[in-house]
Amino acid sequence: MLITARLLANRHPQFIARTVFVKNNNVDDACRMVNRIIGKEGILERFRLNQYYEKPFQTRRRINHERCKAIYNEDMERKIKFVLRKNRHEPFPGCH
Amino acid sequence: MLNVLRKTLQSPIISIQRLFNTSPILSTQKFDIKRIPLDDEGVQGEKIVDLDSVIKSKQNLFPTLESDDTLFDGIPYKSLPICNIRVTHNNTIITLTDAAGTVKLIKSCGIEGFKNTKKGTNIAAQTTAISLATKAIDRGFKTVRVKVRGLGPGRLASVKGLQMGGLEIVSVTDNTHVSWNPPRPRKARRL
């Protein structure tokens, strides 16, 4: 409730999102955590994309490439999982 | 016929000869549920970090409802002075403001004496931060919260420099301006 009230009162409330407290004077860790958060949320990527105008043909190409990559990665992940699977009911398949 | 006979004769002999049976036991006969390994949770590498586990394990890392009024060095969090760091590829500008936002101190790599491309280095950012921190301590600021904006070489170095200069940093915030439907940015660089 209080948070919603605060959000309604201020369109750009500070020190709520993307904030990490420093523990034990370990600034490096806190910075790394912040970087990780903004990297994971895609904020860095957005920032980089918006620095220069991306022409529509470039957008199309980028998105198509991302799609292909995602499909490839998904299949490859499945393949690797299959090859590296360890939980076999028969520990030595094909050895008898 | 002969073959079959020979086989029947041979088979007991073989079993007698072989005291050590190197071939694996048929798994269906001696299947033990304990032999199934536990779920592999993977090794936590340096780059791969599960944020959820971090959130679970470490409390008080992120702001909550009460964090506004928690005391740091006798001052509530919301009225701590703010150190704004503006990082670009070519420069780093650090300002120290009070909680309301009025600027008390300002320093940049250019002011510090670095010229041209040297402004946009992490060393320049660090020395700037250290000099600002010493000045701030003279003025009576001790604990600050840090707000970082932008990407560049001085991003980590300046925060580090503030700490090296003697300021106590309570929290680090990213304040990079991002929009998902921005106005048209400037045209792309031609390389």
Side-chain angles (χ1 to χ4, degrees):
Chain A
M1 262 310 287
L2 273 169
I3 276 209
T4 38
R6 223 170 114 189
L7 289 172
L8 284 174
N10 188 354
R11 274 175 75 95
H12 302 288
Q14 296 179 332
F15 300 107
I16 288 184
R18 299 187 243 162
T19 301
V20 173
F21 282 107
V22 177
K23 292 284 163 205
N24 311 322
N25 246 340
N26 202 343
V27 172
D28 258 7
D29 264 13
C31 282
R32 222 170 289 147
M33 182 86 81
V34 172
N35 284 350
R36 207 184 301 151
I37 288 167
I38 60 173
K40 251 198 159 180
E41 301 278 320
I43 291 166
L44 277 185
E45 194 196 345
R46 264 292 119 189
F47 179 75
R48 239 174 255 130
L49 281 175
N50 291 343
Q51 279 196 319
Y52 294 106
Y53 180 69
E54 192 182 36
K55 285 185 178 174
F57 88 93
Q58 287 167 328
T59 316
R60 254 180 280 129
R61 277 186 63 177
R62 180 173 55 81
I63 283 167
N64 281 341
H65 185 251
E66 276 168 13
R67 267 185 204 143
C68 293
K69 227 169 133 185
I71 291 167
Y72 176 84
N73 282 345
E74 194 192 328
D75 278 359
M76 192 47 94
E77 203 174 300
R78 200 176 298 142
K79 214 171 181 177
I80 288 169
K81 240 183 198 168
F82 176 71
V83 172
L84 290 178
R85 78 201 194 284
K86 291 172 211 158
N87 299 352
R88 297 175 205 274
H89 279 267
E90 278 194 20
F92 304 102
C95 285
H96 45 265
Chain B
M1 262 311 279
L2 264 174
N3 265 335
V4 174
L5 264 174
R6 209 179 283 156
K7 264 188 183 170
T8 47
L9 276 170
Q10 268 181 351
S11 57
I13 297 162
I14 289 166
S15 62
I16 292 158
Q17 274 179 340
R18 274 195 198 166
L19 285 171
F20 312 103
N21 196 5
T22 48
S23 68
I25 313 149
L26 277 179
S27 56
T28 41
Q29 290 170 352
K30 286 211 167 185
F31 176 68
D32 190 1
I33 204 116
K34 280 176 196 164
R35 288 173 83 170
I36 297 176
L38 291 170
D39 280 344
D40 190 10
E41 289 187 355
V43 185
Q44 201 171 26
E46 200 182 24
K47 288 280 169 65
I48 309 154
V49 183
D50 192 16
L51 273 176
D52 298 333
S53 70
V54 171
I55 291 162
K56 265 184 212 163
S57 61
K58 288 181 191 167
Q59 296 297 314
N60 307 325
L61 258 183
F62 304 108
T64 53
L65 277 177
E66 297 85 36
S67 60
D68 251 11
D69 299 315
T70 43
L71 294 177
F72 291 96
D73 215 5
I75 312 162
Y77 181 68
K78 61 183 170 191
S79 48
L80 276 174
I82 307 165
C83 192
N84 294 291
I85 304 172
R86 173 89 176 94
V87 187
T88 56
H89 287 297
N90 294 328
N91 206 353
T92 307
I93 305 165
I94 310 175
T95 58
L96 192 78
T97 71
D98 60 4
T102 48
V103 179
K104 301 289 181 191
L105 277 174
I106 184 161
K107 268 267 157 104
S108 75
C109 293
I111 295 170
E112 198 56 24
F114 293 93
K115 286 290 165 228
N116 305 330
T117 42
K118 282 175 199 155
K119 283 188 300 184
T121 57
N122 50 359
I123 298 156
Q126 193 164 325
T127 47
T128 314
I130 289 170
S131 73
L132 181 118
T134 46
K135 219 173 176 184
I137 287 166
D138 288 345
R139 296 271 187 92
F141 299 100
K142 264 177 94 181
T143 47
V144 291
R145 35 188 181 162
V146 171
K147 242 161 72 171
V148 191
R149 175 140 75 93
L151 285 183
R155 196 179 155 90
L156 246 162
S158 49
V159 182
K160 193 92 203 178
L162 286 177
Q163 197 199 22
M164 283 160 73
L167 282 177
E168 197 172 309
I169 295 161
V170 167
S171 71
V172 181
T173 309
D174 174 68
N175 196 34
T176 311
H177 291 191
V178 277
S179 171
W180 261 252
N181 50 346
R184 182 170 168 149
R186 63 180 294 180
K187 76 172 183 194
R189 274 168 65 180
R190 289 171 69 179
L191 297 168

